[in-house]
Amino acid sequence: MNRSYYSDAISSFCRKSTGDVLARLVQANEFALEQTQRDAWVEEIRILQATLTAYEGGIYFEYAIPRMGRRIDVVLLIKSVIFVLEFKVGEHHFPAYAIDQVWDYALDLQNFHEPSHAAHIVPILIATLAKVESATIGFRNDTDRLLLPIKSSPALLKAIIEQVLALSDGPDITADQWESGRYQPVPTIIEAAIALYNGHSVSEISRSDAGAINLRDTAQAIGDIIVASRRSSQKAICFVTGVPGAGKTLVGLNVATIHIDKDSELYSVFLSGNGPLVAVLREALARDQVQRAKQKGDKVTKSKALSEVKLFVQNVHNFRDECLIDESRPPLEHVALFDEAQRAWDKQQTATFMRQKRNIAGFALSEPEFLISCLDRHPDWAIVVCLVGGGQEINTGEAGISEWLDALKRSFSHWCVYISPHLHDSEYAASATLRQIQELPKVFFKDELHLSVSLRSFRAEKVSLLIKQILDIQSEEAAQTLAELRSYPIVLTRDLVKAKRWLKEQARGSERYGLIVSSQALRLKPHAIDVRSPVDPIHWFLDGKEDTRSSYYLEDVATEFQIQGLELDWVCVTWDADFRFSPAGWLHWSFVGSKWTRIHKSERQQYLKNAYRVLLTRARQGMVIVVPPGDEEDATRKPEFYDETFEYFRSIGLSVI
């Protein structure tokens, strides 16, 4: 795959005319060519031909970063160094966003491009009208081979290259090997949705190791079931399981984007009851569509982009309400993918909602049973794909996966049922129902429907296992797993100020960080954390460092309800006394009025444990856990409410800062 608009040996590039190079760039360009872009390329060619005459190596213009949906202006391979150049033509200054931009590009190569892992990578921001007499060249730490971003003028660029080459070591980079090396990105769910929506395949934006092979096989298995069901005019339901961050949502989005044409019989819809996830994905896709249209010289309004995106990603409750309008008419879609299917409502919760919010009395179906019935209206074939997270139910009325199985047994025995064998695992709480469902005539277990490897963290795949061991108080096993997470830092502190500083020190470029807490953490107010002040997930997840509403500002906090299904690069999990460690096990508390009261109902205890499971599995690159010291003078925040939790984490081996 040719990932650049123009590639050449540096010596050959320097001998070519500007017109020859420009012609190849224009021919490869996928967007409408505006005069400003043409002029920028001409200026970049002029500067680089004047600078690079003494060097051998490779040069790449407009090098694609599929994960980010962007292109690097220029990549240079000289000796053992990769130079990542971002030009700001006509700029006198170095905008902060542009520094992050070139740093992001360099980080992408370091993290995800195999031949770049061990090389020195140098991000350079060039403002063509800047007056810069010298450059600061350095590393963030002794082990990092990625330099800090360098600010340069055109006249200073050659001197910077010389200084960097004098510092570097290692074998020369071979252009052919570098070009053909594996690119194994691990996109965020937002990046993945944007890339898939714009036509990239799941193989282009995901790794090619065992975890991603698992992902590919799962997507293929679902695709095969869809094709077979359509061919034989059958109805089928699939249960896809996976560890946190394994890519269940990515699988659903992938199937939905493959069948995005609403005029096709295979038209699919991605449904989620997770309001923040739906809102963030829609907003991110709409913003991207507006930006892409602008690059092509077209104009698309935000409202128009949102209206199109809403057909692709729908709130499951809106889908349900549409099906209520005419209870005989089948939905437009033959394939419905339900994300976080374990969170669908039970019969009581659904009936209460219908009575109070929709003025429908006596509604007698659970949400799973009604949703299956909607697809069952099709006279020929239909597919329901349930994407299931274990231990993810976090709210009252969430039925768990057993209700889906019960609904099939009660009312849809004619459906084919394809099940991940891991649905037997304890965190899905469905073993008893599974034994009964196997009595149906068309039940098939498929290993491919389980995603066993977490892709959320590209630094360490055992994070979800570690969190399970911590929450299950398997301290010895947790200590052993933690020791294996050498590239995924998890640190512990009692000081929120130190935690915030640590987050900022870890993050590079536009890597996103933020504060997350339990929705029951009501006694963190002295630390300026008020969970009752609702965060706007769109601003929190998508806006930049300059926006006080964004996660970067470390003021607003997200709870398990806002962050489930989403992720950050770095997180600070701030603990409260709602979930306390004790030698007898975890203790569950709720703050009511002016005091803590014990939670005795097993269902609510499980919700609280799951809330912390969600919080502790949101970070892609590392996290800091804050267990406050408490306050002897505050009866609601006594030190003993927190001390044993802190000591438990320390005993496992978490480093204290």
Side-chain angles (χ1 to χ4, degrees):
M1 173 185 170
N2 186 4
R3 293 178 54 197
S4 60
Y5 282 1
Y6 173 94
S7 61
D8 207 346
I10 289 175
S11 56
S12 174
F13 161 74
C14 288
R15 292 194 299 269
K16 284 186 168 60
S17 69
T18 299
D20 286 344
V21 178
L22 183 63
R24 283 179 56 184
L25 287 168
V26 171
Q27 187 175 15
N29 179 36
E30 59 191 276
F31 301 113
L33 182 63
E34 296 191 5
Q35 188 66 34
T36 52
Q37 179 61 76
R38 182 188 181 283
D39 292 346
W41 280 336
V42 169
E43 182 68 359
E44 291 167 20
I45 295 165
R46 183 192 69 76
I47 292 168
L48 292 172
Q49 287 185 332
T51 302
L52 300 175
T53 53
Y55 299 105
E56 295 293 333
I59 184 169
Y60 307 83
F61 278 79
E62 301 295 331
Y63 185 84
I65 303 289
R67 178 185 72 88
M68 300 170 63
R70 295 183 179 179
R71 291 182 174 273
I72 304 173
D73 282 349
V74 176
V75 176
L76 301 175
L77 307 180
I78 304 176
K79 295 186 177 179
S80 62
V81 180
I82 302 167
F83 294 90
V84 176
L85 310 183
E86 178 66 19
F87 287 86
K88 294 303 173 187
V89 176
E91 283 278 1
H92 293 82
H93 306 289
F94 301 92
Y97 81 87
I99 295 172
D100 282 347
Q101 184 180 4
V102 71
W103 208 352
D104 287 344
Y105 294 155
L107 283 163
D108 189 275
L109 292 177
Q110 184 188 59
N111 291 330
F112 307 125
H113 186 236
E114 195 170 82
S116 302
H117 289 340
H120 279 113
I121 305 178
V122 185
I124 304 176
L125 179 62
I126 304 158
T128 59
L129 299 182
K131 302 278 193 263
V132 184
E133 297 181 0
S134 63
T136 301
I137 297 174
F139 298 90
R140 194 172 66 160
N141 56 52
D142 295 338
T143 61
D144 202 349
R145 296 179 73 82
L146 170 60
L147 274 71
L148 295 166
I150 300 170
K151 302 172 185 176
S152 176
S153 65
L156 193 59
L157 182 57
K158 185 171 183 179
I160 290 171
I161 293 173
E162 286 296 314
Q163 290 179 62
V164 170
L165 292 175
L167 290 172
S168 64
D169 56 15
D172 288 359
I173 299 170
T174 304
D176 288 344
Q177 291 180 346
W178 189 84
E179 290 175 25
S180 60
R182 290 190 301 175
Y183 176 64
Q184 304 180 86
V186 182
T188 67
I189 194 60
I190 295 169
E191 291 168 340
I194 290 172
L196 290 169
Y197 191 71
N198 286 292
H200 289 283
S201 68
V202 72
S203 61
E204 287 182 280
I205 61 164
S206 62
R207 300 172 346 191
S208 55
D209 59 4
I213 291 171
N214 186 192
L215 187 74
R216 183 195 65 202
D217 290 348
T218 301
Q220 182 63 50
I222 295 171
D224 291 345
I225 292 169
I226 291 173
V227 171
S229 298
R230 181 192 182 198
R231 185 185 301 129
S232 58
S233 290
Q234 288 187 330
K235 290 164 185 167
I237 187 167
C238 305
F239 293 96
V240 179
T241 59
V243 300
K248 298 181 293 294
T249 301
L250 179 56
V251 166
L253 290 169
N254 182 53
V255 174
T257 50
I258 290 173
H259 306 301
I260 202 169
D261 181 5
K262 59 179 176 290
D263 294 324
S264 167
E265 191 181 24
L266 292 174
Y267 178 55
S268 305
V269 62
F270 179 84
L271 301 168
S272 176
N274 183 334
L277 174 67
V278 171
V280 169
L281 288 181
R282 283 178 171 177
E283 179 71 14
L285 289 169
R287 290 184 185 185
D288 181 70
Q289 291 305 297
V290 170
Q291 183 61 35
R292 286 175 183 272
K294 184 178 179 182
Q295 289 176 332
K296 293 178 180 179
D298 300 329
K299 184 177 181 181
V300 173
T301 64
K302 177 81 164 298
S303 59
K304 184 177 187 298
L306 273 172
S307 67
E308 293 176 355
V309 164
K310 285 178 179 178
L311 295 175
F312 169 56
V313 179
Q314 292 188 33
N315 190 299
V316 68
H317 306 310
N318 294 340
F319 179 84
R320 176 203 60 207
D321 291 350
E322 188 67 25
C323 290
L324 281 169
I325 295 173
D326 183 345
E327 297 190 19
S328 62
R329 179 171 56 88
L332 177 64
E333 303 85 1
H334 276 74
V335 181
L337 303 116
F338 292 97
D339 196 31
E340 297 177 14
Q342 76 284 350
R343 297 189 62 194
W345 290 345
D346 60 23
K347 181 178 176 180
Q348 181 178 343
Q349 182 74 8
T350 307
T352 300
F353 177 86
M354 290 296 187
R355 184 179 67 256
Q356 295 178 350
K357 303 295 185 180
R358 296 293 181 266
N359 199 29
I360 299 174
F363 195 84
L365 302 178
S366 66
E367 196 166 44
E369 186 163 1
F370 179 69
L371 292 171
I372 297 172
S373 75
C374 295
L375 273 295
D376 195 53
R377 297 173 191 172
H378 283 288
D380 44 11
W381 69 281
I383 298 286
V384 173
V385 180
C386 293
L387 308 168
V388 185
Q392 300 282 299
E393 300 90 346
I394 57 175
N395 207 358
T396 302
E398 292 179 354
I401 208 62
S402 290
E403 177 53 34
W404 289 89
L405 299 172
D406 284 337
L408 288 165
K409 191 169 186 298
R410 279 194 305 269
S411 308
F412 305 101
S413 59
H414 58 289
W415 279 52
C416 295
V417 184
Y418 296 90
I419 299 178
S420 158
H422 285 262
L423 212 57
H424 281 290
D425 294 354
S426 60
E427 59 262 41
Y428 300 103
S431 293
T433 312
L434 270 174
R435 285 192 292 272
Q436 298 174 16
I437 201 75
Q438 289 179 59
E439 299 171 6
L440 296 180
K442 302 176 184 177
V443 177
F444 310 95
F445 287 88
K446 294 181 72 70
D447 291 334
E448 298 90 341
L449 296 180
H450 180 67
L451 295 161
S452 59
V453 179
S454 176
L455 302 179
R456 175 170 293 128
S457 170
F458 54 88
R459 290 178 176 269
E461 294 166 352
K462 293 187 176 180
V463 175
S464 59
L465 172 61
L466 171 66
I467 300 311
K468 184 178 188 301
Q469 291 167 339
I470 288 173
L471 294 177
D472 290 347
I473 316 183
Q474 299 172 338
S475 53
E476 292 184 7
E477 294 89 340
Q480 184 176 344
T481 304
L482 178 65
E484 298 173 8
L485 302 183
R486 297 181 183 89
S487 61
Y488 186 96
I490 305 177
V491 298
L492 180 66
T493 185
R494 311 208 75 167
D495 188 332
L496 185 58
V497 173
K498 286 183 179 179
K500 291 181 178 181
R501 188 183 309 126
W502 185 86
L503 284 180
K504 293 178 179 179
E505 289 171 351
Q506 301 307 307
R508 297 176 290 181
S510 63
E511 290 177 345
R512 188 169 282 273
Y513 50 84
L515 304 176
I516 59 177
V517 301
S518 159
S519 60
Q520 300 301 308
L522 296 179
R523 290 308 299 136
L524 294 177
K525 283 185 180 180
H527 303 281
I529 293 176
D530 186 355
V531 296
R532 293 187 177 179
S533 296
V535 64
D536 184 326
I538 289 175
H539 296 299
W540 201 81
F541 281 103
L542 298 179
D543 290 351
K545 295 177 180 178
E546 74 288 345
D547 196 312
T548 60
R549 300 166 296 180
S550 76
S551 67
Y552 290 118
Y553 241 76
L554 299 178
E555 290 184 1
D556 291 334
V557 298
T559 71
E560 68 272 18
F561 296 115
Q562 285 94 35
I563 203 166
Q564 188 173 40
L566 292 159
E567 58 207 354
L568 303 178
D569 289 292
W570 305 90
V571 303
C572 170
V573 180
T574 305
W575 220 268
D576 201 8
D578 56 330
F579 197 54
R580 310 174 195 174
F581 180 79
S582 79
W586 291 106
L587 304 179
H588 311 77
W589 294 81
S590 175
F591 193 76
V592 180
S594 61
K595 63 181 181 180
W596 292 102
T597 60
R598 287 291 296 272
I599 296 174
H600 295 289
K601 288 183 66 175
S602 60
E603 183 183 59
R604 289 188 60 205
Q605 290 179 353
Q606 190 63 45
Y607 289 152
L608 186 56
K609 180 179 180 180
N610 288 348
Y612 275 90
R613 189 193 313 276
V614 168
L615 297 175
L616 292 166
T617 54
R618 295 305 100 187
R620 287 159 53 84
Q621 301 201 51
M623 66 178 148
V624 54
I625 298 173
V626 180
V627 182
D631 184 348
E632 284 286 5
E633 297 181 0
D634 185 343
T636 67
R637 297 190 301 120
K638 290 183 178 181
E640 55 261 37
F641 295 172
Y642 303 91
D643 289 346
E644 286 190 308
T645 303
F646 178 82
E647 292 303 327
Y648 172 59
F649 282 124
R650 185 156 64 174
S651 72
I652 290 170
L654 269 62
S655 300
V656 178
I657 60 170

